[in-house]
Amino acid sequence: MSIEFANESGVDVPAELVLAAARFATEAMDVHPGAELSVLCVDEPTMADMHVQWMDLPGPTDVMSFPMDELVPGGRPDAAEPGPAILGDIVLCPEFAAKQAREARRSLEHELAMLTIHGVLHLLGYDHAEPDEEKEMFGLQNRLLEEFYAQRHREAQQQRQTDRDTRLLTNIGFTDSPFPEFPGGDEGSAQQRPAGSTEQ
C-alpha cells in the first residue's frame, strides 16, 4: 500500500501515527496492497475553503475524504473484488481536531488516528447521513480504532522485550558471538574435545 503524507497545516503532526492508522485501516478492510492513498494536513482557512467548495457548508471541519471514481471498494461485504487503484485523498485539519480533542478530553494523537480511520471508511463508501449508516460506520470505526491500539500495544511490548534482551546480552558479553570466550584457550575448544579425553 502506497501512502503519501504531506503536512501544510503549520501544526506539528505525528506523521508516523497517522500513516500507521491509515495503513492499519486499509489492511483491515482488505484494500488491495497495490492501491494508493494520499493524506494531507491543512490549516483552518484552507479546510474552510474546501468545506464550502465541496460540501457547501461554512467554516472548517475535522476531516474530508475524496474517493477516486476508478476505485472498486473492497471493504463492504457487497462490494466486488478490489484491484490496485488510487483509493483517494484524506484531508485532515489538525487545528480543528485539536479543539475537538480538548473539548472531548482526548489527546490530539487519538483524535488524528480516529479521523484518519474515519476518512478511510468514507473512501470505501461508508457514510453516516442516515441513522442506520451512522450506526454501521461508527461501530466499524470504533472496532478498527480499538484493534489498531491493541496492535500498537503488542508491538510496543515486543520492542521493549527486544531492547531488554539486547541490553542483557550486551552486559554479559554476547554482542558479537553466540558463545563467550573460554579463558586459556580458543573459543569453543572445550566443546570440540571428545568426552573423557584429556589434553596431552
Side-chain angles (χ1 to χ4, degrees), residues 51-66:
H51 202 203
V52 71
Q53 178 182 356
W54 296 102
M55 304 293 293
D56 199 23
L57 293 171
T61 187
D62 49 10
V63 59
M64 293 183 70
S65 298
F66 299 92

Side-chain angles (χ1 to χ4, degrees), residues 133-164:
E133 293 176 337
E134 181 178 8
K135 182 179 179 181
E136 179 187 22
M137 182 175 181
F138 281 90
L140 181 56
Q141 172 186 301
N142 292 339
R143 178 173 65 80
L144 290 174
L145 190 62
E146 183 178 336
E147 291 173 356
F148 170 64
Y149 281 126
Q151 181 190 71
R152 286 179 71 82
H153 179 68
R154 287 193 300 271
E155 291 173 349
Q157 282 185 317
Q158 291 169 357
Q159 186 59 54
R160 285 195 294 270
Q161 184 62 52
T162 299
D163 293 344
R164 282 195 295 268

Side-chain angles (χ1 to χ4, degrees), residues 33-157:
E36 298 177 14
L37 170 65
S38 170
V39 181
L40 173 65
C41 295
V42 299
D43 58 21
E44 285 191 326
T46 302
M47 183 60 103
D49 290 343
M50 297 176 72
H51 202 203
V52 71
Q53 178 182 356
W54 296 102
M55 304 293 293
D56 199 23
L57 293 171
T61 187
D62 49 10
V63 59
M64 293 183 70
S65 298
F66 299 92
M68 294 296 180
D69 292 337
E70 66 266 33
L71 177 75
V72 178
R76 298 190 61 87
D78 55 349
E81 183 68 21
I86 300 176
L87 184 58
D89 303 321
I90 296 172
V91 182
L92 300 168
C93 184
E95 264 182 287
F96 193 90
K99 294 175 184 176
Q100 285 188 159
R102 284 194 296 271
E103 291 171 2
R105 297 185 178 181
R106 295 190 292 250
S107 68
L108 175 59
E109 289 77 10
H110 175 85
E111 196 78 13
L112 291 173
M114 179 179 66
L115 293 174
T116 300
I117 292 173
H118 186 88
V120 168
L121 292 178
H122 270 309
L123 293 180
L124 293 173
Y126 288 86
D127 207 348
H128 46 83
E130 301 296 331
D132 287 348
E133 293 176 337
E134 181 178 8
K135 182 179 179 181
E136 179 187 22
M137 182 175 181
F138 281 90
L140 181 56
Q141 172 186 301
N142 292 339
R143 178 173 65 80
L144 290 174
L145 190 62
E146 183 178 336
E147 291 173 356
F148 170 64
Y149 281 126
Q151 181 190 71
R152 286 179 71 82
H153 179 68
R154 287 193 300 271
E155 291 173 349
Q157 282 185 317

